[in-house]
Amino acid sequence: MIPVQGYEGRKVGVLGLGRSGLAAAAALEAGGAEALLWDDSQEARDAAEGRGFTVTKLTRDMDELAALIVSPGIPHLYPAPNPVIEAALRAGVPVDNDIGLFFRSFATPEWSELDVTPKVIAVTGSNGKSTTSALIHHCLEVAGKPCQLAGNIGRGVLDIDPAHDGEVVVLELSSYQTDLARSLTPDVAVFTNLSEDHLDRHAGMGGYFAAKRRLFAEGGPDRAVIGVDEAEGLYLANQLSEGMVDDQVIRVSVTGKVGGMGWNVTAKKGFLAERRKGKQIGSIDLREMRGLPGRHNHQNACAAYAALRSLGIAPRVIEKGFESFGGLPHRSQHLGEKDGVTFVNDSKATNVDSAAQALQAFQNIRWIAGGLGKEGGISSLVPHLDSVKKAYLIGHSARDFALEISDTDYAICEVMERAVEQAFEEAEPGDTILLAPAAASFDQYPNFELRGDAFAAEVKKILAR
């Protein structure tokens, strides 16, 4: 646990009692503060009281609070502030979150006795931030570096252990987290990409980009790794750079060669190349990296490579880490092979953009798709269906999807068991059975993880035959 500094002997409100809220409350009390908790859910309040915390309606105690700590899922501005947050804003109570508490509390006076100062790598972006964060952490482990993984992935940021000598903490941060944190001071900050998401929470793309940009503007990282394949990333890299040869900014691209004499990491046709001052100084063949299939994962690999190189990790060590990286569950996860047929679980592909990335990563696809379709349907996927031999459609939107996939062959399977079995019966050696639903899971499963687990369970039966 990271005890929170700066609130000893003072009352601090905690709004939202999920994983991050309860961890923040414990860390505040470990640092000598008095935590006062609230959640709209009676069940959550009862659970907090059962752990010994003080639960109270925070609007009654606002004048006594030194700060209000808010969980990520609670809106503080758009589409409208939560009433407790609005009360704090009107009372002048500083509003923060667990990320802000982490950055103000991670460094301690004891660090003066360490030989190598600990570092923090923070990763944000619309897509790929989980894979990028996990890949960085995995490569650090391969390199023998002490490291921890936290944030949206791994442990809560205040749940991690106090830093060891030379340790690296890798944080995955969402826009909800970067938008509100009052302190953001990573040593290395990574921006993967930007695409439309959470627009109601940020009142449009401008607000969404502004939330991501805070990670780079508030504290000024020593190194910034920026994906420049979208206009926003290109603009951000330009804002942070002092000139063409400024190596504070490492530009990442998978759409073409980055110009200039700066520090760049690019991937073209599966080959990663690192260039600095116009000279290539490192390269990796990504084509056979089973845990990193497709261009979207090549972008993740470039971002991870750049972050690791900024810490001085050698290219060959990074390549070794890439080779042994198994991928994250439900994200282009290789489950196994049977009779020449490969099974891939990308249940996290809950929208057309992420499904398109998965469909471009493989050949000879037998595509399992469907669920609770989203606004706009999936007709925009038609240009990406050239490698699909047949679609096996499940869930609430199966018949709607069938009408939108042009002349692609399909079967209405409705349930996962039937889809997997029929796809395997019809598959030929060299085919890939890919779960990339392009839809939410809530018609049949509580979340995409359980949908992916259901797919994996059916695949396990086949592999055991």
Side-chain angles (χ1 to χ4, degrees):
M1 179 186 295
I2 306 296
V4 173
Q5 301 178 40
Y7 294 110
E8 185 175 357
R10 305 168 76 188
K11 295 180 179 180
V12 178
V14 177
L15 179 62
L17 304 181
R19 182 186 71 162
S20 65
L22 291 174
L28 282 161
E29 296 202 338
E34 180 183 352
L36 304 179
L37 282 60
W38 181 256
D39 193 294
D40 290 339
S41 165
Q42 182 66 54
E43 182 180 0
R45 297 197 299 269
D46 290 345
E49 286 184 325
R51 293 180 56 174
F53 291 115
T54 300
V55 175
T56 180
K57 205 166 182 64
L58 292 173
T59 49
R60 294 197 296 256
D61 304 285
M62 199 59 66
D63 291 342
E64 302 178 34
L65 298 184
L68 176 66
I69 308 306
V70 178
S71 294
I74 302 174
H76 57 273
L77 187 56
Y78 303 113
N82 178 279
V84 177
I85 298 176
E86 184 174 11
L89 297 175
R90 292 190 181 281
V93 175
V95 179
D96 204 348
N97 62 15
D98 61 331
I99 305 302
L101 295 181
F102 168 82
F103 278 111
R104 71 180 287 165
S105 305
F106 185 51
T108 65
E110 289 74 21
W111 281 25
S112 61
E113 301 175 8
L114 302 179
D115 292 330
V116 180
T117 302
K119 293 186 180 297
V120 177
I121 299 176
V123 181
T124 194
S126 295
N127 299 304
K129 56 185 178 292
S130 294
T131 297
T132 301
S133 301
L135 182 58
I136 293 170
H137 180 259
H138 175 75
C139 290
L140 288 169
E141 289 184 320
V142 170
K145 301 288 186 181
C147 54
Q148 298 185 72
L149 180 63
N152 266 3
I153 186 173
R155 301 161 70 181
V157 291
L158 295 171
D159 272 337
I160 68 172
D161 301 324
H164 302 300
D165 200 338
E167 187 165 40
V168 181
V169 174
V170 184
L171 301 181
E172 180 202 336
L173 301 182
S174 72
S175 59
Y176 292 2
Q177 294 169 309
T178 59
D179 197 18
L180 193 58
R182 297 173 71 90
S183 179
L184 287 167
T185 54
D187 299 279
V188 181
V190 180
F191 177 89
T192 58
N193 51 58
L194 198 76
S195 61
E196 291 190 7
D197 205 359
H198 309 306
L199 300 190
D200 59 335
R201 177 67 178 265
H202 299 294
M205 281 293 285
Y208 182 42
F209 175 52
K212 300 288 190 185
R213 183 182 177 276
R214 292 189 74 248
L215 182 62
F216 302 85
E218 293 300 306
D222 295 334
R223 285 283 194 281
V225 176
I226 310 292
V228 296
D229 289 335
E230 291 85 31
E232 293 86 355
L234 198 61
Y235 172 76
L236 179 59
N238 184 271
Q239 281 199 312
L240 296 172
S241 175
E242 295 295 330
M244 288 191 299
V245 296
D246 178 11
D247 63 4
Q248 179 195 7
V249 177
I250 309 176
R251 292 170 172 83
V252 166
S253 174
V254 292
T255 62
K257 184 178 179 180
V258 180
M261 298 290 288
W263 195 352
N264 309 316
V265 180
T266 61
K268 185 176 181 181
K269 295 182 178 179
F271 289 91
L272 180 151
E274 177 190 3
R275 293 181 177 84
R276 200 168 184 179
K277 296 182 180 179
K279 296 181 180 180
Q280 182 170 314
I281 57 176
S283 64
I284 296 177
D285 184 352
L286 300 173
R287 293 174 300 172
E288 299 303 318
M289 304 296 181
R290 180 165 283 177
L292 297 166
R295 192 173 77 166
H296 61 305
N297 275 310
H298 294 171
Q299 183 184 55
N300 299 335
C302 287
Y305 178 97
L308 291 159
R309 290 290 289 136
S310 75
L311 298 182
I313 308 297
R316 296 283 76 83
V317 175
I318 299 173
E319 183 174 13
K320 185 178 178 181
F322 284 5
E323 289 172 345
S324 58
F325 181 66
L328 289 178
H330 317 299
R331 297 166 174 86
S332 296
Q333 179 189 14
H334 180 272
L335 296 179
E337 297 178 10
K338 178 78 171 182
D339 299 337
V341 178
T342 300
F343 298 88
V344 176
N345 170 19
D346 204 338
S347 185
K348 183 65 168 63
T350 58
N351 57 47
V352 293
D353 289 338
S354 52
Q357 298 283 4
L359 290 167
Q360 294 173 74
F362 304 97
Q363 300 294 320
N364 304 318
I365 297 170
R366 296 192 177 270
W367 178 35
I368 299 176
L372 189 61
K374 298 188 176 181
E375 185 177 352
I378 63 164
S379 58
S380 60
L381 284 176
V382 170
H384 306 294
L385 300 181
D386 290 346
S387 295
V388 175
K389 299 175 75 171
K390 188 171 181 177
Y392 303 82
L393 303 176
I394 63 173
H396 177 270
S397 298
R399 287 168 177 78
D400 292 335
F401 280 19
L403 298 174
E404 296 184 69
I405 58 175
S406 186
D407 57 355
T408 302
D409 191 16
Y410 70 87
I412 303 293
C413 298
E414 296 185 343
V415 297
M416 185 70 73
E417 181 179 10
R418 190 179 310 154
V420 176
E421 187 62 36
Q422 185 173 344
F424 183 67
E425 286 177 357
E426 298 176 359
E428 301 171 331
D431 287 356
T432 294
I433 297 176
L434 170 67
L435 172 64
S441 62
F442 306 127
D443 56 332
Q444 295 178 315
Y445 305 96
N447 51 54
F448 74 83
E449 292 96 340
L450 289 177
R451 177 173 58 191
D453 290 343
F455 175 69
E458 297 304 320
V459 171
K460 184 177 181 179
K461 294 177 187 177
I462 292 173
L463 297 179
R465 292 177 186 172

